[in-house]
Each structure stands twice: as C-alpha cells, then as structure tokens.
Amino acid sequence: MNKEEKMSKAILTIDDGPTSQTVKIIDWLFERGVQPIMFFTGTDFEKNYEAGIYALRRGAIAGNHSLSHRHFSELSFEEGIEEIKAQEKNLERLYKDSNVKRTKKLFRFPYGDKGGKNAEAFQKFLKAEGFEKGRDGSGERDWLWTFDFEEYKMQWNEGWTFEMSRKKIFEKTFNEISPRVLLIHDHPQSNKFEEGYFFKLIEAALESGVEFERPF
C-alpha cells in the first residue's frame, strides 16, 4: 500500500480541558494548521478559565463534556440534564467573555456513556436543545469518537505504555468513516509517564498520513 492510499481525513477532538497545558497545546496545534474541538468539563473550569478564553480566541471550538464528568448511566435523567445545562452556562459565559460568537453546540458524554436506560431520552433532549449531530455515522446528537489513543490508560491501567498508544495510529485503518473523529485527552498528569505525550501522539498521527480537517 503506498502512502497515498494510507492517507485519511480526521477531526481532532480533545477531552477534559481547560488545563494548565491548554495554551501550549493550542499554540502548537495552530502552528500546524490544526483546529481542534475541545470538550470542556466543569472540573477546574474556573482555575483555567483564561486558558479557555485563549483557546477560543485562537480558533478552537469548545464543546460540552458535562459539569463533573460522571457516568450518565449512573445518573437519573434529571441529574444528567442538570450536568449538561450547568456546563452550557459555563460555555455561554466563556464564549461571551472571549468575544467569540458561538455557532455550534456540541456535546460529548463522559466515557462515551450515553445514559443507559435514559439514552433515548437524552438524545431527544439534545436534539430539542439544538446540539449538532456527531460524526461517527450514528446520526445521534452527541460526539462519539471513532478512534481513541487511550493514552489516559498510562495513569490507571498497569501495563499500558505510551508506545501502545503511539502504535495504535499505525495499526488502525481509517476507511470506515471519513473524516474520522480522533480522541486525545488534555491531561497534564500524563506527562509524568511520557513527557510531551500529546505532541508526540499527534506527530505520530501526522507521520502515519492523517490529514486533520477543520470540523466545520
């Protein structure tokens, strides 16, 4: 297979910011012409608020990743709705303070947990609230990924190594859905296991032939 045949289109999505490394990530990506979707949680949102503003002003898109990053299947429908609504208030304020117009409402369930028995009800809610369809081919109103580096496992899964995450991008094929939705996390703590993990993994994606597209 030649290099041209390996080429694949992808959208970069980043979960769990804003954090202390968000500004560095944003500068690095935009130097390479990569516009990410950053799914922000309420965790440490105020602590890193200025980093969130910086990301929007540089051109990143902020999506809703819930207020406290809980498993939605473990919540009541009402609790899940409150998680979404509370983070929506944070994002609306962030866009206003950034002086950036918000043109898309995007949501990603923490852990990809769509709510168990309440999954259908959550989808109806997201549609009614004007959230955009994801790009995983399901037609649903949440942004599920189609490729996960799983680099977060370095923190919690004994035996998982950085090299395992790096190799995934070379082992996977990307012809099922185009563009693919790549997931990586904004976790400063992962640098304890591999310094610069974020940049090394995205470099590996570029090396493998992935071409990052603008999300919209």
Side-chain angles (χ1 to χ4, degrees):
M1 180 178 291
N2 61 41
K3 185 176 181 180
E4 185 172 285
E5 289 173 327
K6 290 181 180 179
M7 285 290 184
S8 54
K9 307 294 185 180
I11 294 170
L12 181 63
T13 66
I14 307 170
D15 279 8
D16 299 348
T19 73
S20 59
Q21 69 174 1
T22 297
V23 169
K24 184 178 180 180
I25 284 173
I26 285 297
D27 284 344
W28 189 89
L29 289 174
F30 277 96
E31 284 175 3
R32 289 155 179 79
V34 180
Q35 181 189 33
I37 298 174
M38 306 190 81
F39 286 97
F40 289 159
T41 67
T43 307
D44 289 332
F45 193 82
E46 296 298 336
K47 182 179 179 181
N48 300 292
Y49 193 72
E50 291 300 319
I53 288 177
Y54 184 85
L56 293 188
R57 287 178 175 171
R58 282 298 311 264
I61 299 170
N64 187 329
H65 200 34
S66 82
L67 183 68
S68 57
H69 204 275
R70 299 168 67 186
H71 282 277
F72 269 56
S73 62
E74 297 175 359
L75 304 176
S76 67
F77 178 68
E78 291 73 21
E79 289 171 330
I81 294 304
E82 183 55 35
E83 283 279 320
I84 298 170
K85 286 184 174 181
Q87 187 61 1
E88 274 298 291
K89 290 181 181 178
N90 281 335
L91 292 177
E92 289 293 341
R93 177 164 58 94
L94 184 70
Y95 269 94
K96 181 180 179 181
D97 291 346
S98 302
N99 198 28
V100 174
K101 183 179 180 180
R102 189 182 186 192
T103 61
K104 303 290 183 182
K105 291 177 65 174
L106 311 177
F107 178 73
R108 171 171 283 168
F109 286 102
Y111 312 104
D113 180 347
K114 298 194 178 195
K117 65 181 181 181
N118 293 315
E120 184 176 350
F122 281 127
Q123 290 296 324
K124 289 181 179 179
F125 169 80
L126 292 171
K127 181 178 181 180
E129 292 294 311
F131 284 88
E132 297 283 330
K133 291 181 181 179
R135 301 288 285 277
D136 64 336
S138 70
E140 296 189 324
R141 297 283 171 157
D142 63 285
W143 273 67
L144 189 66
W145 56 90
T146 61
F147 175 91
D148 183 359
F149 277 108
E150 297 184 291
E151 84 293 337
Y152 61 89
K153 288 184 177 180
M154 292 189 293
Q155 301 176 53
W156 304 307
N157 186 353
E158 185 176 354
W160 188 268
T161 67
F162 170 79
E163 189 60 20
M164 290 177 180
S165 289
R166 194 191 72 84
K167 284 183 177 180
K168 284 190 68 178
I169 199 73
F170 295 98
E171 295 169 352
K172 294 289 184 179
T173 57
F174 293 88
N175 56 2
E176 301 98 326
I177 301 170
S178 184
R180 296 300 297 267
V181 181
L182 269 65
L183 166 61
I184 191 170
H185 298 78
D186 184 353
H187 287 173
Q189 59 269 36
S190 289
N191 288 300
K192 296 178 182 178
F193 303 91
E194 180 69 27
E195 184 64 34
Y197 78 93
F198 183 98
F199 313 107
K200 292 176 181 177
L201 290 176
I202 301 305
E203 285 284 14
L206 294 169
E207 181 185 345
S208 75
V210 171
E211 294 181 345
F212 288 105
E213 293 188 339
R214 296 178 68 86
F216 299 99

